[in-house]
Amino acid sequence: MKLLALDSSGLVASVAVAEEDNLIGEYTVNYKKTHSQTLLPMLDAVAKMIDLDLETVDAIAVAKGPGSFTGLRIGSATAKGLGLALDKPIVEIPTVDGLAYNLWGAKDLVCPLMDARRNQTYTGIYAFENGEMQVLEPQCAVDIAQIVEKINELQRAVIFLGDGVPVFRDYIAEHVQVPYSFAPAHLNKQRAGAVAALAFRYLKNGQTVSAAEHQPDYLRLSQAERERKEKEQRLPGDAGV
């Protein structure tokens, strides 16, 4: 089985091609350019470097969210377009799960932190036991205080990773009551290689959707949608008019 994996859910853009337990190629960039500028050229570069015929790919894995609304749309549109053109299924990987999978085999708890703005984070809590990733707290969008409270309740050492670490580092230092550490640079951001590795688990369980069915999972409303909803709630009712 051969997988093409994409992750453009955050600041990082990443493309990978994997075959079972062999990562054939990976291209990851964490720079200022938008994913609309980088993702397809990165895919083209990887394909040329490893002489990839896209027709030989069995499925396309993509980080389905949460994350940057624009980044998720670009990644999903790319996966959907390829899936439709090649008639390949889509493997939808929860973004936070894929990020946690970077630290497969860690003895401590793993807590990804993605900056969701307004003091919130896309996060979850994971443990690796008997060669499997256990989801102790499914991915969610919560205030940083809520996830830290849950970590303290579990009373186990934890490793933090993700682009939310620099944002919440001071809060972590002040409020986390268990031993903690931060993942190193080569493991602390999204990687399509991790998405691919987790996607093989999904494939073995038959967890795929058609390209037509695939949709990103934002977990919460966009800022524009939130502001519109708040505005509507402030408008006076028209009862009696």
Short mmCIF file of all heavy atoms in Angstrom, two decimals, residues 168-202:
data_model
loop_
_atom_site.label_atom_id
_atom_site.label_comp_id
_atom_site.label_asym_id
_atom_site.label_seq_id
_atom_site.Cartn_x
_atom_site.Cartn_y
_atom_site.Cartn_z
N PHE A 168 1.89 29.68 24.88
CA PHE A 168 1.42 29.32 26.22
C PHE A 168 2.53 28.90 27.17
O PHE A 168 2.26 28.42 28.27
CB PHE A 168 0.39 28.18 26.10
CG PHE A 168 -0.80 28.53 25.26
CD1 PHE A 168 -1.06 27.86 24.06
CD2 PHE A 168 -1.68 29.53 25.64
CE1 PHE A 168 -2.16 28.17 23.28
CE2 PHE A 168 -2.78 29.85 24.88
CZ PHE A 168 -3.02 29.17 23.69
N ARG A 169 3.79 29.09 26.77
CA ARG A 169 4.91 28.62 27.60
C ARG A 169 4.87 29.22 29.00
O ARG A 169 5.07 28.51 30.00
CB ARG A 169 6.24 28.96 26.92
CG ARG A 169 7.45 28.35 27.62
CD ARG A 169 8.73 28.79 26.92
NE ARG A 169 8.88 28.19 25.61
CZ ARG A 169 9.55 27.06 25.39
NH1 ARG A 169 10.11 26.42 26.40
NH2 ARG A 169 9.67 26.59 24.17
N ASP A 170 4.62 30.50 29.11
CA ASP A 170 4.59 31.15 30.43
C ASP A 170 3.45 30.60 31.27
O ASP A 170 3.61 30.36 32.49
CB ASP A 170 4.45 32.67 30.29
CG ASP A 170 5.70 33.32 29.74
OD1 ASP A 170 6.77 32.66 29.75
OD2 ASP A 170 5.61 34.48 29.27
N TYR A 171 2.29 30.38 30.65
CA TYR A 171 1.15 29.83 31.40
C TYR A 171 1.47 28.43 31.89
O TYR A 171 1.15 28.07 33.03
CB TYR A 171 -0.11 29.82 30.53
CG TYR A 171 -1.35 29.45 31.30
CD1 TYR A 171 -2.15 30.44 31.88
CD2 TYR A 171 -1.71 28.12 31.50
CE1 TYR A 171 -3.28 30.11 32.61
CE2 TYR A 171 -2.83 27.77 32.23
CZ TYR A 171 -3.61 28.77 32.79
OH TYR A 171 -4.71 28.43 33.54
N ILE A 172 2.11 27.65 31.05
CA ILE A 172 2.50 26.29 31.43
C ILE A 172 3.43 26.33 32.63
O ILE A 172 3.26 25.58 33.60
CB ILE A 172 3.17 25.58 30.22
CG1 ILE A 172 2.12 25.26 29.15
CG2 ILE A 172 3.88 24.30 30.67
CD1 ILE A 172 2.71 24.80 27.83
N ALA A 173 4.42 27.21 32.58
CA ALA A 173 5.39 27.31 33.67
C ALA A 173 4.71 27.67 34.99
O ALA A 173 5.11 27.20 36.06
CB ALA A 173 6.46 28.34 33.33
N GLU A 174 3.67 28.48 34.93
CA GLU A 174 3.01 28.96 36.14
C GLU A 174 1.95 27.99 36.69
O GLU A 174 1.70 27.96 37.89
CB GLU A 174 2.34 30.32 35.87
CG GLU A 174 3.32 31.45 35.61
CD GLU A 174 2.61 32.74 35.25
OE1 GLU A 174 1.37 32.81 35.41
OE2 GLU A 174 3.29 33.68 34.78
N HIS A 175 1.36 27.17 35.80
CA HIS A 175 0.18 26.41 36.24
C HIS A 175 0.28 24.90 36.13
O HIS A 175 -0.51 24.20 36.78
CB HIS A 175 -1.05 26.88 35.44
CG HIS A 175 -1.41 28.32 35.69
ND1 HIS A 175 -0.93 29.35 34.94
CD2 HIS A 175 -2.23 28.88 36.62
CE1 HIS A 175 -1.41 30.50 35.38
NE2 HIS A 175 -2.20 30.24 36.40
N VAL A 176 1.19 24.36 35.34
CA VAL A 176 1.30 22.91 35.24
C VAL A 176 1.99 22.37 36.49
O VAL A 176 3.08 22.83 36.86
CB VAL A 176 2.07 22.49 33.97
CG1 VAL A 176 2.34 20.99 33.99
CG2 VAL A 176 1.28 22.87 32.73
N GLN A 177 1.35 21.39 37.14
CA GLN A 177 1.82 20.89 38.43
C GLN A 177 2.50 19.52 38.33
O GLN A 177 2.80 18.90 39.35
CB GLN A 177 0.64 20.82 39.41
CG GLN A 177 -0.01 22.18 39.66
CD GLN A 177 -1.33 22.05 40.39
OE1 GLN A 177 -1.78 20.96 40.74
NE2 GLN A 177 -1.99 23.19 40.62
N VAL A 178 2.72 19.04 37.12
CA VAL A 178 3.39 17.75 36.92
C VAL A 178 4.67 18.01 36.13
O VAL A 178 4.83 19.06 35.51
CB VAL A 178 2.48 16.76 36.15
CG1 VAL A 178 1.22 16.48 36.96
CG2 VAL A 178 2.14 17.30 34.76
N PRO A 179 5.61 17.05 36.13
CA PRO A 179 6.82 17.22 35.32
C PRO A 179 6.43 17.36 33.85
O PRO A 179 5.56 16.66 33.36
CB PRO A 179 7.60 15.92 35.57
CG PRO A 179 7.10 15.43 36.89
CD PRO A 179 5.66 15.80 36.95
N TYR A 180 7.09 18.28 33.14
CA TYR A 180 6.77 18.48 31.73
C TYR A 180 8.03 18.80 30.94
O TYR A 180 9.06 19.21 31.50
CB TYR A 180 5.73 19.59 31.56
CG TYR A 180 6.21 20.97 31.95
CD1 TYR A 180 6.88 21.79 31.02
CD2 TYR A 180 5.99 21.49 33.22
CE1 TYR A 180 7.32 23.05 31.37
CE2 TYR A 180 6.42 22.75 33.58
CZ TYR A 180 7.09 23.53 32.65
OH TYR A 180 7.53 24.79 32.99
N SER A 181 7.94 18.60 29.63
CA SER A 181 9.03 18.94 28.73
C SER A 181 8.43 19.36 27.40
O SER A 181 7.22 19.25 27.18
CB SER A 181 9.97 17.74 28.54
OG SER A 181 9.26 16.63 28.03
N PHE A 182 9.29 19.85 26.51
CA PHE A 182 8.85 20.29 25.20
C PHE A 182 9.56 19.47 24.12
O PHE A 182 10.75 19.23 24.21
CB PHE A 182 9.13 21.78 24.99
CG PHE A 182 8.46 22.67 26.01
CD1 PHE A 182 9.19 23.31 26.99
CD2 PHE A 182 7.08 22.85 25.98
CE1 PHE A 182 8.58 24.12 27.93
CE2 PHE A 182 6.45 23.66 26.91
CZ PHE A 182 7.20 24.30 27.90
N ALA A 183 8.82 19.06 23.10
CA ALA A 183 9.40 18.28 22.01
C ALA A 183 10.46 19.10 21.27
O ALA A 183 10.32 20.33 21.15
CB ALA A 183 8.31 17.84 21.05
N PRO A 184 11.50 18.45 20.76
CA PRO A 184 12.55 19.17 20.03
C PRO A 184 12.07 19.64 18.66
O PRO A 184 11.01 19.23 18.17
CB PRO A 184 13.67 18.12 19.89
CG PRO A 184 12.95 16.81 19.95
CD PRO A 184 11.80 17.01 20.89
N ALA A 185 12.88 20.48 18.03
CA ALA A 185 12.47 21.17 16.80
C ALA A 185 12.04 20.23 15.68
O ALA A 185 11.11 20.53 14.93
CB ALA A 185 13.60 22.07 16.31
N HIS A 186 12.69 19.07 15.55
CA HIS A 186 12.37 18.20 14.41
C HIS A 186 11.08 17.41 14.61
O HIS A 186 10.63 16.71 13.71
CB HIS A 186 13.53 17.24 14.13
CG HIS A 186 13.78 16.23 15.20
ND1 HIS A 186 14.18 16.59 16.48
CD2 HIS A 186 13.70 14.88 15.22
CE1 HIS A 186 14.33 15.51 17.21
NE2 HIS A 186 14.04 14.46 16.47
N LEU A 187 10.47 17.53 15.80
CA LEU A 187 9.26 16.78 16.09
C LEU A 187 8.10 17.65 16.58
O LEU A 187 7.03 17.13 16.87
CB LEU A 187 9.55 15.72 17.17
CG LEU A 187 10.55 14.62 16.79
CD1 LEU A 187 10.86 13.76 18.02
CD2 LEU A 187 10.01 13.76 15.66
N ASN A 188 8.29 18.95 16.69
CA ASN A 188 7.30 19.76 17.40
C ASN A 188 6.28 20.48 16.51
O ASN A 188 5.50 21.29 17.00
CB ASN A 188 7.99 20.78 18.32
CG ASN A 188 8.75 21.86 17.56
OD1 ASN A 188 8.68 21.95 16.34
ND2 ASN A 188 9.49 22.68 18.30
N LYS A 189 6.27 20.18 15.21
CA LYS A 189 5.26 20.77 14.31
C LYS A 189 4.64 19.66 13.46
O LYS A 189 5.11 18.53 13.44
CB LYS A 189 5.91 21.81 13.40
CG LYS A 189 6.58 22.98 14.09
CD LYS A 189 5.60 23.90 14.77
CE LYS A 189 6.24 25.23 15.19
NZ LYS A 189 7.44 25.06 16.04
N GLN A 190 3.61 20.02 12.73
CA GLN A 190 2.95 19.05 11.86
C GLN A 190 3.93 18.48 10.84
O GLN A 190 4.77 19.21 10.30
CB GLN A 190 1.78 19.70 11.12
CG GLN A 190 0.56 19.93 11.97
CD GLN A 190 0.54 21.29 12.60
OE1 GLN A 190 1.58 21.89 12.86
NE2 GLN A 190 -0.65 21.83 12.85
N ARG A 191 3.80 17.18 10.58
CA ARG A 191 4.59 16.52 9.56
C ARG A 191 3.71 15.54 8.81
O ARG A 191 3.01 14.72 9.42
CB ARG A 191 5.78 15.75 10.17
CG ARG A 191 6.90 16.64 10.66
CD ARG A 191 8.08 15.81 11.14
NE ARG A 191 8.59 14.94 10.07
CZ ARG A 191 9.58 14.07 10.25
NH1 ARG A 191 10.14 13.95 11.44
NH2 ARG A 191 10.00 13.33 9.24
N ALA A 192 3.75 15.61 7.48
CA ALA A 192 2.93 14.70 6.68
C ALA A 192 3.36 13.25 6.87
O ALA A 192 2.55 12.34 6.70
CB ALA A 192 3.02 15.09 5.20
N GLY A 193 4.63 13.04 7.24
CA GLY A 193 5.08 11.68 7.51
C GLY A 193 4.32 11.04 8.65
O GLY A 193 3.98 9.85 8.59
N ALA A 194 4.03 11.81 9.69
CA ALA A 194 3.24 11.29 10.82
C ALA A 194 1.80 11.06 10.40
O ALA A 194 1.17 10.08 10.82
CB ALA A 194 3.30 12.27 12.00
N VAL A 195 1.26 11.94 9.57
CA VAL A 195 -0.10 11.76 9.05
C VAL A 195 -0.18 10.45 8.26
O VAL A 195 -1.12 9.66 8.41
CB VAL A 195 -0.51 12.96 8.15
CG1 VAL A 195 -1.80 12.66 7.41
CG2 VAL A 195 -0.65 14.22 8.99
N ALA A 196 0.84 10.19 7.44
CA ALA A 196 0.86 8.95 6.65
C ALA A 196 0.94 7.73 7.54
O ALA A 196 0.23 6.74 7.33
CB ALA A 196 2.05 8.98 5.67
N ALA A 197 1.83 7.77 8.55
CA ALA A 197 1.99 6.62 9.43
C ALA A 197 0.70 6.28 10.16
O ALA A 197 0.31 5.11 10.27
CB ALA A 197 3.11 6.90 10.44
N LEU A 198 0.00 7.31 10.65
CA LEU A 198 -1.27 7.08 11.33
C LEU A 198 -2.35 6.63 10.34
O LEU A 198 -3.21 5.81 10.66
CB LEU A 198 -1.71 8.35 12.05
CG LEU A 198 -2.98 8.28 12.91
CD1 LEU A 198 -2.92 7.13 13.90
CD2 LEU A 198 -3.21 9.60 13.63
N ALA A 199 -2.27 7.14 9.11
CA ALA A 199 -3.26 6.79 8.10
C ALA A 199 -3.23 5.31 7.75
O ALA A 199 -4.27 4.72 7.43
CB ALA A 199 -3.04 7.62 6.84
N PHE A 200 -2.06 4.67 7.82
CA PHE A 200 -1.99 3.23 7.56
C PHE A 200 -2.82 2.46 8.58
O PHE A 200 -3.43 1.44 8.26
CB PHE A 200 -0.54 2.75 7.57
CG PHE A 200 0.18 2.99 6.27
CD1 PHE A 200 1.25 3.85 6.21
CD2 PHE A 200 -0.23 2.36 5.11
CE1 PHE A 200 1.92 4.08 5.01
CE2 PHE A 200 0.43 2.58 3.90
CZ PHE A 200 1.51 3.45 3.86
N ARG A 201 -2.86 2.95 9.82
CA ARG A 201 -3.71 2.32 10.84
C ARG A 201 -5.18 2.45 10.45
O ARG A 201 -5.96 1.51 10.59
CB ARG A 201 -3.47 2.98 12.21
CG ARG A 201 -2.02 2.97 12.69
CD ARG A 201 -1.63 1.62 13.20
NE ARG A 201 -0.26 1.57 13.65
CZ ARG A 201 0.10 1.16 14.86
NH1 ARG A 201 -0.81 0.80 15.75
NH2 ARG A 201 1.38 1.11 15.19
N TYR A 202 -5.55 3.62 9.96
CA TYR A 202 -6.92 3.84 9.53
C TYR A 202 -7.27 2.93 8.35
O TYR A 202 -8.36 2.35 8.30
CB TYR A 202 -7.11 5.31 9.12
CG TYR A 202 -7.38 6.27 10.25
CD1 TYR A 202 -6.48 6.37 11.32
CD2 TYR A 202 -8.50 7.09 10.25
CE1 TYR A 202 -6.71 7.27 12.35
CE2 TYR A 202 -8.74 7.98 11.28
CZ TYR A 202 -7.84 8.07 12.33
OH TYR A 202 -8.07 8.94 13.35
#
